[in-house]
Amino acid sequence: KSKSSGKSSSKSSTNSKSSPGAEPKAAAFPPGTFSWIELGTTDATAAKKFYGELIGWTFADSPMPQGGVYTMVQLGGKDVGGLYKLENRPGVPPHWLSYVAVRDASLAAKKAVECGGKILQDAFDVMDAGRMAVLEDPSGAVFAVWQAKNHAGAGVAGNRIGDRIAVAVVGS
């Protein structure tokens, strides 16, 4: 979670057993493609009810090593995103964070600065799942980069969560 910006990403920042350059064990998304999406919310229970009814997602809660709960958002039994409760983050509104697959999260963060962006949370290991950084483009849009290790990202091929939300709302 990015404490410096007030923005967040919920993957645990516990040190990884894998080295930052370790080969991924999961089938990685091609670099430059969206691989994960995550909701930071003030009311996880209400969010699960809303998205479960609206889109048909199911949810699997897991305790995080540093406390709190990280929820895998699932479609057809496969992970498509994450959800967590914003805690101890005054002024941070509920938000979605999109992750873009990269080969090296540290290099992507450095390059973002060279291209006029900002690093909101420098690259860090997310246990043995992967490595991430939270960035801001020159217009202020926030996103994360994801270097896969044991967790490639969404488990549904061609998953486009934003499109699924739009279809569910428009199709209502």
Side-chain angles (χ1 to χ4, degrees):
K1 296 178 184 172
S2 174
K3 294 179 182 162
S4 62
S5 69
K7 307 290 182 186
S8 68
S9 87
S10 68
K11 296 188 187 224
S12 166
S13 60
T14 304
N15 285 338
S16 171
K17 294 177 186 173
S18 303
S19 64
E23 286 298 314
K25 293 181 183 175
F29 280 71
T33 61
F34 287 97
S35 61
W36 193 249
I37 192 164
E38 180 174 81
L39 174 64
T41 180
T42 55
D43 189 339
T45 301
K48 289 179 205 177
K49 181 178 184 320
F50 175 78
Y51 289 107
E53 290 176 6
L54 177 67
I55 299 172
W57 287 339
T58 57
F59 306 93
D61 293 339
S62 297
M64 291 192 289
Q66 73 277 15
V69 172
Y70 190 79
T71 300
M72 289 297 198
V73 175
Q74 298 179 329
L75 179 64
K78 294 185 179 181
D79 298 339
V80 295
L83 180 152
Y84 65 96
K85 183 176 180 184
L86 291 167
E87 297 185 79
N88 304 315
R89 299 191 181 256
V92 177
H95 61 276
W96 282 98
L97 181 66
S98 296
Y99 287 70
V100 178
V102 295
R103 284 188 175 84
D104 186 312
S106 296
L107 289 176
K110 288 177 188 172
K111 188 168 183 179
V113 172
E114 292 170 8
C115 295
K118 294 179 185 173
I119 297 172
L120 301 180
Q121 174 88 35
D122 209 353
F124 63 94
D125 290 325
V126 182
M127 297 176 288
D128 63 354
R131 190 164 170 79
M132 67 175 286
V134 181
L135 309 173
E136 182 178 280
D137 77 11
S139 73
V142 177
F143 65 102
V145 291
W146 181 250
Q147 175 186 340
K149 291 181 187 173
N150 289 327
H151 188 272
V156 177
N159 179 44
R160 297 179 67 186
I161 293 174
D163 289 351
R164 188 156 177 84
I165 293 171
V167 168
V169 172
V170 173
S172 298

